[in-house]
Amino acid sequence: MGRSVGFKIVIAMMAFAANSVLCRIALKGEHIDPVTFSDLRLMSGAVVLLPLLLRREGKKQGVWSLKSGFFLMAYALCFSLAYIHLDTGTGALLLFGVVQLAMVAHGLFHGERLSFSRATGLGLAVAGMAALLLPGAKAPPLGSAVLMALSGLAWAAYTLCGKRSPDAAQATAANFILAVPFALVLSPFISQGAHFDGIGIVLAILSGAGASAGAYVLWYSLLPRLESVAASTVQLSVPCLAMLGGVTFLGESLSLRMAFSTLAVLAGILLVIKAPGQKIRH
């Protein structure tokens, strides 16, 4: 894998983690309700990315996808609704565990090979995640667990759709724009009372216009270069990075177990993306 690709992956994963920290502050602090947060997140992302669709040069056909817009909305909305009722570890494990399983299954079904090195790396990354997130986690409410699993399936589907995107920037802009009406139509039926303050609004906008919009353009540009197994495995770094962000920005404690688990996850990711036989274009 080229250095530029690896650097872009690191930036995308850090942005995903930053997005998790913003969501955690907003929802756990009750600065805003989850439905309003998701709506503002998608709308602000759409506004920021709209100029990418208005430019004349470089326009390509096929950037509009109702499926991708729906999957993006479903991921954001289900995640916010579930997150308010789940502790951080359980929620992250459910989300990225489902993403991992769905994308690995898709890759294997479409002929990607799981060599010994890649299987070892995958197992090491999953074990690191389990060691980091499972201890002390309470059994999640069934409804919230289902919502988080649906969010993981939606993100996996959204990611896989991106592998066929002809233009990463314009496709991401179109996806955000299409996701907004889906969200606004569903919001009145699932909202249990909107509430927000200035902090909640700012966090939602930062999440959508910054951590989401920019990172998703970058992620879509990387997907054609990664196999499904590798694309799913690198995302397992996000909960680890988010917890490290919590230590830095939220004053959470950093345990020895967290440090070793993070090293296990990152080592597993390295084994997967460095394994021979991957279909990566430089």
Side-chain angles (χ1 to χ4, degrees):
M1 180 183 294
R3 290 184 179 179
S4 62
V5 174
F7 178 74
K8 289 177 181 179
I9 290 175
V10 171
I11 295 298
M13 296 304 103
M14 290 179 65
F16 288 176
N19 202 32
S20 297
V21 173
L22 290 170
C23 289
R24 185 182 310 171
I25 295 172
L27 299 180
K28 292 297 183 180
E30 298 185 353
H31 294 292
I32 192 170
D33 68 280
V35 175
T36 303
F37 182 91
S38 296
D39 290 346
L40 287 176
R41 178 183 176 188
L42 293 172
M43 286 189 287
S44 59
V47 169
V48 168
L49 295 174
L50 180 60
L52 296 177
L53 283 175
L54 297 179
R55 68 184 186 189
R56 294 182 178 276
E57 55 204 75
K59 273 194 173 181
K60 298 179 181 179
Q61 299 297 323
V63 298
W64 294 95
S65 169
L66 285 174
K67 288 194 305 182
S68 294
F70 177 81
F71 289 142
L72 177 59
M73 178 278 301
Y75 151 74
L77 196 56
C78 288
F79 176 78
S80 295
L81 287 169
Y83 199 93
I84 201 68
H85 298 297
L86 293 173
D87 63 78
T88 302
T90 303
L93 183 60
L94 284 169
L95 176 67
F96 290 96
V98 170
V99 171
Q100 179 77 25
L101 291 174
M103 293 189 64
V104 168
H106 178 274
L108 294 177
F109 183 77
H110 285 82
E112 293 184 12
R113 298 181 61 186
L114 196 61
S115 64
F116 177 78
S117 177
R118 297 177 74 181
T120 301
L122 179 60
L124 184 59
V126 172
M129 284 289 296
L132 179 65
L133 299 173
L134 281 179
K138 299 178 181 178
L142 179 59
S144 296
V146 170
L147 281 171
M148 191 59 84
L150 289 174
S151 180
L153 288 174
W155 180 253
Y158 180 77
T159 296
L160 292 170
C161 286
K163 295 177 73 67
R164 300 186 294 272
S165 174
D167 185 294
Q170 292 191 350
T172 304
N175 294 339
F176 269 85
I177 291 171
L178 290 172
V180 170
F182 279 127
L184 294 180
V185 168
L186 285 176
S187 293
F189 298 98
I190 60 179
S191 177
Q192 297 182 348
H195 69 271
F196 52 86
D197 57 24
I199 295 177
I201 293 174
V202 170
L203 290 171
I205 292 175
L206 287 175
S207 175
S212 295
Y216 294 2
V217 170
L218 182 58
W219 185 234
Y220 252 38
S221 71
L222 292 169
L223 287 174
R225 308 183 184 197
L226 298 172
E227 291 179 279
S228 295
V229 173
S232 63
T233 304
V234 295
Q235 293 179 86
L236 287 176
S237 65
V238 175
C240 298
L241 293 172
M243 287 192 177
L244 292 177
V247 171
T248 303
F249 299 105
L250 300 175
E252 299 175 356
S253 60
L254 177 62
S255 65
L256 189 61
R257 177 177 294 176
M258 181 186 298
F260 280 117
S261 297
T262 301
L263 288 176
V265 171
L266 296 179
I269 291 171
L270 185 62
L271 280 174
V272 171
I273 63 178
K274 287 290 187 180
Q278 291 198 101
K279 306 170 186 176
I280 299 178
R281 300 197 306 267
H282 298 287

